[in-house]
Amino acid sequence: MAGFPALSDATAAGTELRFLTEDFPPLSMTEDDQATGQAVELVRALMAETGTGGDIEVMAWSEAYQTALEGDDTVLFSTVLTPERKDQFQWVGPTAELHTALYALAGSDIEINTLAQARAVERIATVTDYYSDEALAAEGDFDNVVRFADEGEAARALLDGQVDLMVAGNTSLPAVLEALGSDMSAVRPVFALSTDLTYLAFAPEIPEETVEQWQGALDAMKADGRFAEIYRRWLPAEEAPGRMYLVTEEYPPITFMQEGRPGGFVTDMVRQMAMEIGISDSVELTSWKNAYNLALLHPNVVLFSAERTDAREPLFHWVGPVGQNSAILYARSGGDIEVDSLADARAVDAVATTTDWFTEQFLQEEGFDNLVGSPDPGDSVRRLMDGEANLAIFTDITVADIVERAGYSMDDLEPMLAVSQTDFYIALSRDTDPAMVARWREALAELKKDGRFERIYRSYVPEADLSGLLD
């Protein structure tokens, strides 16, 4: 559509690149025939930092993407890293976080830390056929959804108190609220359903040293605060992504929302280690499915906590162990079911599991074809108690809280068979720099050596058996 003049002067020996983007406020857009936005301002700064010359061009996404695939000197931004795109480009980032999240009114007392809690509210606004609507549907059945024709109608319903929550994207919602005479101070995100990270996608033919120079320049801007300053100007309600992305789920007492921020004994350990390493200790709490997929795809993601299984071994770098637990099959109390072996469990009609948890993966590896999975562990409790499942699998360290949150007590369940005893770890994504992985391992070793590990652990689980964890 429109071409814009070079944003920095290239020296005779400098690199010349072609930068492509789309109209995607507030990351990139045109105002007064000039390119602007968070990503554009960042690219300007990085061009100056690296001595790179070139033009920024704003065009339709399909044209920009095809041009980037065919060009040997192109950089496409802001580009969401997906499994399909990963091998097509070289990546520098992340430069922004795109959340599809549940939003509540700023003054409400609604707290959503699990999908079960979202299902318990009266009304959730979505927009028919929008990605946000699909993101919620991907998490299972919700019978409390109210669909609207556009985001303006959905946001108005939230502001007027007609719905309790709204599903929206963090980059599009500010403009929607502004059109209604409001702003982001009127709402607050309460739970991230899905997360995408954007990058600068460099053509494969661009020299690797150039890509490394850009990544180093971006990391330096993150370290000295310049990146956060740019981010705040365009996304004032958002926290800028750091060099590492720390992500977890609601899994008490290991990780959970505590007094408005993620807590738990592994969360506290991770925060201590992050400070030792010199990176941000900001933690994102989301669903396990979202967290796990982020760690599988992106570099520099810290996922915790995760069971170290044979299937997962090659997928991550492992830091730990940081805890121990047992996986147990439970039945309803007072029933007549008997389970003395995995063969007995394979013979029942249905076993309730939590999607992508190691417990589900373990049963899949053991040949179970009777699993009924759900992203929310509370659904497994309800399926067990409603008779939709004969058995459900949980870990001994977390089952009590899961059962209580689902509205039942441990008296309603009967442990039938312990199927495994495992250690859990902090998992770093596979593409993370080995030197950074080593720093995380050193930080944990220091935590164990000086006594902080044991103090943190026992502050949540006083009677814990730490034999084998402190070596």
Side-chain angles (χ1 to χ4, degrees):
M1 288 170 49
F4 296 91
L7 299 176
S8 70
D9 294 326
T11 65
T15 301
E16 287 277 344
L17 297 174
R18 184 183 181 190
F19 296 89
L20 310 179
T21 190
E22 66 168 334
D23 192 34
F24 184 40
L27 304 186
S28 52
M29 52 194 158
T30 57
E31 289 183 357
D32 300 324
D33 294 326
Q34 292 293 317
T36 188
Q38 178 266 338
V40 172
E41 185 177 346
L42 176 62
V43 168
R44 282 197 183 101
L46 289 171
M47 290 176 75
E49 193 79 7
T50 60
T52 305
D55 295 335
I56 285 183
E57 302 171 55
V58 180
M59 59 183 67
W61 172 255
S62 58
E63 181 184 356
Y65 185 66
Q66 191 60 40
T67 302
L69 287 175
E70 297 171 354
D72 58 6
D73 62 348
T74 57
V75 181
L76 179 66
F77 71 97
S78 299
T79 310
V80 172
L81 175 56
T82 67
E84 296 76 20
R85 297 173 181 169
K86 189 168 186 177
D87 294 333
Q88 294 177 332
F89 301 101
Q90 303 178 80
W91 301 88
V92 170
T95 57
E97 297 176 15
L98 308 182
H99 294 295
T100 299
L102 292 167
Y103 286 84
L105 286 175
S108 76
D109 59 0
I110 294 176
E111 296 293 340
I112 304 295
N113 303 321
T114 67
L115 294 169
Q117 291 172 328
R119 290 187 178 92
V121 305
E122 288 189 30
R123 296 173 296 274
I124 301 176
T126 69
V127 180
T128 303
D129 294 332
Y130 265 40
Y131 176 77
S132 55
D133 191 33
E134 296 172 356
L136 189 63
E139 300 296 347
D141 294 332
F142 284 77
D143 58 10
N144 54 350
V145 171
V146 182
R147 291 181 170 84
F148 293 84
D150 58 56
E151 284 190 298
E153 290 184 12
R156 173 56 65 194
L158 178 64
L159 295 175
D160 291 346
Q162 299 172 18
V163 297
D164 305 285
L165 300 171
M166 174 188 176
V167 186
N170 64 320
T171 56
S172 61
L173 188 56
V176 172
L177 292 173
E178 183 179 359
L180 296 174
S182 186
D183 57 36
M184 290 295 289
S185 66
V187 302
R188 59 186 176 89
V190 292
F191 190 78
L193 291 171
S194 67
T195 304
D196 291 309
L197 303 179
T198 67
Y199 291 76
L200 307 175
F202 283 66
E205 292 79 10
I206 294 174
E208 185 177 332
E209 55 267 26
T210 298
V211 178
E212 291 175 353
Q213 182 189 27
W214 274 68
Q215 184 66 63
L218 176 59
D219 289 345
M221 290 183 65
K222 289 184 176 183
D224 65 21
R226 286 178 293 159
F227 175 78
E229 288 179 8
I230 293 173
Y231 212 79
R232 280 194 296 270
R233 278 197 285 275
W234 297 97
L235 294 157
E238 302 291 323
E239 186 166 348
R243 292 179 59 196
M244 303 288 292
Y245 196 76
L246 314 182
V247 61
T248 189
E249 65 167 336
E250 184 81 1
Y251 198 54
I254 301 169
T255 57
F256 62 102
M257 193 63 76
Q258 185 180 41
E259 297 179 356
R261 72 194 298 254
F265 67 82
V266 177
T267 304
D268 290 357
M269 292 175 191
V270 167
R271 290 190 193 281
Q272 290 280 317
M273 294 161 67
M275 288 189 287
E276 293 273 346
I277 294 167
I279 61 174
S280 170
D281 68 346
S282 177
V283 175
E284 176 75 24
L285 188 145
T286 183
S287 69
W288 175 255
K289 174 183 173 183
N290 188 35
Y292 190 74
N293 287 339
L294 280 166
L296 284 178
L297 178 61
H298 296 273
N300 302 315
V301 175
V302 181
L303 171 69
F304 60 97
S305 60
E307 305 292 329
R308 186 174 184 174
T309 65
D310 290 342
R312 292 177 178 174
E313 182 67 30
L315 303 179
F316 305 102
H317 297 286
W318 299 94
V319 178
V322 293
Q324 299 171 327
N325 59 24
S326 296
I328 299 172
L329 286 165
Y330 291 85
R332 292 185 303 279
S333 293
D336 56 4
I337 189 172
E338 293 186 10
V339 178
D340 298 318
S341 66
L342 288 175
D344 292 340
R346 278 192 290 265
V348 305
D349 290 335
V351 179
T353 63
T354 305
T355 306
D356 288 333
W357 277 15
F358 87 97
T359 46
E360 180 183 72
Q361 293 171 343
F362 172 82
L363 295 181
Q364 289 169 340
E365 292 165 6
E366 292 295 327
F368 280 67
D369 59 6
N370 56 348
L371 305 182
V372 182
S374 171
D376 185 350
D379 286 345
S380 293
V381 180
R382 285 183 285 274
R383 282 179 169 146
L384 182 64
M385 301 310 298
D386 292 344
E388 297 177 24
N390 311 95
L391 299 169
I393 189 166
F394 303 103
T395 64
D396 58 342
I397 199 169
T398 61
V399 62
D401 187 83
I402 292 170
V403 169
E404 180 181 349
R405 287 170 182 255
Y408 297 91
S409 75
M410 287 303 296
D411 291 338
D412 297 315
L413 274 66
E414 181 180 355
M416 302 300 294
L417 181 70
V419 299
S420 70
Q421 184 170 7
T422 57
D423 295 336
F424 49 89
Y425 287 69
I426 299 164
L428 274 63
S429 50
R430 199 69 210 169
D431 291 340
T432 302
D433 185 344
M436 178 60 76
V437 176
R439 293 179 68 186
W440 277 88
R441 288 174 176 155
E442 291 164 2
L444 178 59
E446 186 62 29
L447 215 63
K448 292 184 177 183
K449 180 180 178 181
D450 65 20
R452 283 178 293 165
F453 180 94
E454 183 170 3
R455 287 197 297 273
I456 292 170
Y457 205 121
R458 293 197 185 282
S459 70
Y460 288 88
V461 190
E463 305 302 321
D465 179 8
L466 301 185
S467 59
L469 292 179
L470 298 175
D471 297 337

